[in-house]
Amino acid sequence: MDRPCLPHGRSQEVKQLMSYDPGEWSESLRKEYLLVIEGFFTVPLPLFSTTYRRAIKARTKVAEALSLIVRERRKEYERGAKKNDMLAALLAGDDKFSDEQIVDFLVALLVAGYETTSTIMTLAVKFLTETPLALAQLKEEHEGIRAKKSESEALQWSDYKSMPFTQCVVNETLRVANIISGVFRRAMTDINIKGYTIPKGWRVFASFRAVHLDHNQFKDARTFNPWRWQSNSGISCPGHVFTPFGGGPRLCPGYELARVELSVFLHHLVTRFSWEPAEEDKLVFFPTTRTQKRYPINVRRRNRSFS
Ligand code: HEM
């Protein structure tokens, strides 16, 4: 089997997990990782699907590359070196995870946390571009926050908590174009729902999209309308009909992080840049929710007269 050809270097998402900066190493890792993602939503039939076969190979390469780092870091840890990142926490934890368990966890986090958030950012930009009134209101909210700060001052948690319209935009983006269209569950016992029985052991697909785009739940459900969330508290989900992050014991552990990331991204985007679409693009729902061409835009730096 090929050795992972991942020279030393660095990346944003890998940095957060393992203290690596963007560079050649992480760029090679990213390429393999994208192949993993491509295969993620294909039918798992290795004999028929090249994408699936490629993804399995790429997953092995990603795991091997991460294993090398984990091994190196374990040695450093045993020599007493201290680092302040997720890998350090996993190595130091009371659970005594094996290298294999740690690698599996890191791959799972990359898959669960990267594509989801970056796609939702792209979709938010597309919806805002197509809804100029929403974009104007969003800019106003963020310019208000920026006006109270010096040019280089970072956002604080209290700033994040004072972005009510941004939270409406986040909710509405997740509603109209939920990246995870639903979740599988297995019935642990016979379940009766509205006169139907789901027998024990059956697998069920709970479709979020069917609910999020249901006109009985959301008026003009296919229209991007962030203002519909203003009648709610803004930041939280209205109960069981809005579940972009799943629910119950398997609720997405990254749900607040994803919301913060999107809000902070929008803050910097609308206060520093203006943009226009570089090409026509459209929303597709299969095999995953995304824009067909990843919504390329031409970006210009703005004059920040308000700060
Ligand atoms: C817009 C961004 C995101 C969306 C829409 C999303 C959505 C989801 C959904 C629907 C699930 C399944 C929940 C269930 O089975 O009930 C899930 C699971 C998970 N998510 Fe996210 N997620 C996002 C971002 C993130 C981020 C940023 C991370 C971590 C950095 C993350 C980590 C995970 C993990 C580890 C699981 C598996 C949890 C388990 O099986 O117990 N997600 N996510």
Side-chain angles (χ1 to χ4, degrees):
M1 188 180 303
D2 294 343
R3 295 284 302 152
C5 52
L6 303 170
H8 284 284
R10 318 214 131 218
S11 142
Q12 204 48 43
E13 64 274 22
V14 179
K15 180 180 167 67
Q16 288 152 5
L17 301 172
M18 310 189 311
S19 302
Y20 267 72
D21 294 327
E24 213 184 324
W25 180 83
S26 57
E27 189 46 34
S28 311
L29 188 63
R30 196 176 70 87
K31 282 187 190 141
E32 298 297 340
Y33 162 80
L34 290 177
L35 293 176
V36 178
I37 292 293
E38 252 182 52
F40 199 66
F41 293 96
T42 53
V43 185
L45 295 174
L47 281 182
F48 298 104
S49 166
T50 324
T51 314
Y52 186 71
R53 271 202 311 274
R54 251 196 338 230
I56 296 290
K57 256 192 181 166
R59 203 264 179 213
T60 310
K61 283 190 184 175
V62 171
E64 283 178 351
L66 295 177
S67 297
L68 292 179
I69 305 293
V70 172
R71 237 176 286 149
E72 235 171 70
R73 285 284 303 275
R74 191 181 288 283
K75 279 189 208 144
E76 283 174 22
Y77 171 72
E78 282 164 0
R79 285 198 297 267
K82 296 260 176 300
K83 275 205 171 136
N84 190 17
D85 59 14
M86 182 174 291
L87 182 49
L90 288 167
L91 290 166
D94 293 336
D95 298 301
K96 299 276 173 276
F97 295 119
S98 67
D99 286 8
E100 197 187 358
Q101 282 171 318
I102 293 181
V103 168
D104 192 56
F105 183 73
L106 295 177
V107 175
L109 264 195
L110 282 175
V111 171
Y114 173 74
E115 191 71 7
T116 45
T117 322
S118 56
T119 305
I120 204 70
M121 287 173 179
T122 311
L123 293 166
V125 173
K126 176 170 165 45
F127 292 144
L128 286 167
T129 312
E130 291 165 357
T131 320
L133 273 180
L135 179 58
Q137 191 166 335
L138 189 77
K139 269 188 196 155
E140 199 181 310
E141 180 162 285
H142 287 280
E143 285 170 3
I145 292 172
R146 212 62 253 174
K148 294 186 203 135
K149 294 180 168 289
S150 66
E151 182 86 13
S152 57
E153 208 177 332
L155 283 177
Q156 301 297 322
W157 185 251
S158 55
D159 297 318
Y160 170 63
K161 287 292 181 189
S162 56
M163 300 177 180
F165 188 67
T166 309
Q167 297 313 318
C168 297
V169 169
V170 172
N171 280 349
E172 189 64 351
T173 307
L174 286 165
R175 187 190 67 80
V176 177
N178 205 158
I179 307 139
I180 313 282
S181 60
V183 287
F184 283 100
R185 291 288 191 264
R186 185 154 51 89
M188 303 303 285
T189 173
D190 287 357
I191 310 268
N192 286 305
I193 299 178
K194 296 187 177 172
Y196 295 91
T197 303
I198 302 170
K200 179 180 173 185
W202 276 38
R203 275 162 213 224
V204 180
F205 182 70
S207 170
F208 302 156
R209 189 180 303 145
V211 180
H212 292 171
L213 296 182
D214 180 356
H215 292 279
N216 297 319
Q217 305 289 355
F218 299 94
K219 192 167 173 278
D220 295 327
R222 286 181 183 266
T223 307
F224 178 80
N225 171 9
W227 296 278
R228 71 172 82 236
W229 297 93
Q230 283 182 325
S231 47
N232 295 298
S233 62
I235 201 145
S236 59
C237 313
H240 58 283
V241 296
F242 181 59
T243 56
F245 297 102
R250 305 304 293 262
L251 173 74
C252 171
Y255 79 96
E256 189 72 58
L257 175 64
R259 298 187 71 102
V260 172
E261 283 178 343
L262 180 53
S263 307
V264 172
F265 164 75
L266 289 175
H267 173 82
H268 291 295
L269 183 73
V270 302
T271 54
R272 293 175 187 204
F273 302 99
S274 62
W275 68 89
E276 67 219 12
E279 285 178 47
E280 284 282 304
D281 202 355
K282 66 172 187 183
L283 185 64
V284 290
F285 289 104
F286 186 82
T288 56
T289 306
R290 64 197 158 84
T291 45
Q292 213 162 37
K293 300 179 188 165
R294 296 193 168 247
Y295 202 59
I297 53 174
N298 291 321
V299 180
R300 270 187 311 279
R301 194 170 273 282
R302 287 180 63 199
N303 289 329
R304 296 172 61 170
S305 51
F306 49 86
S307 56

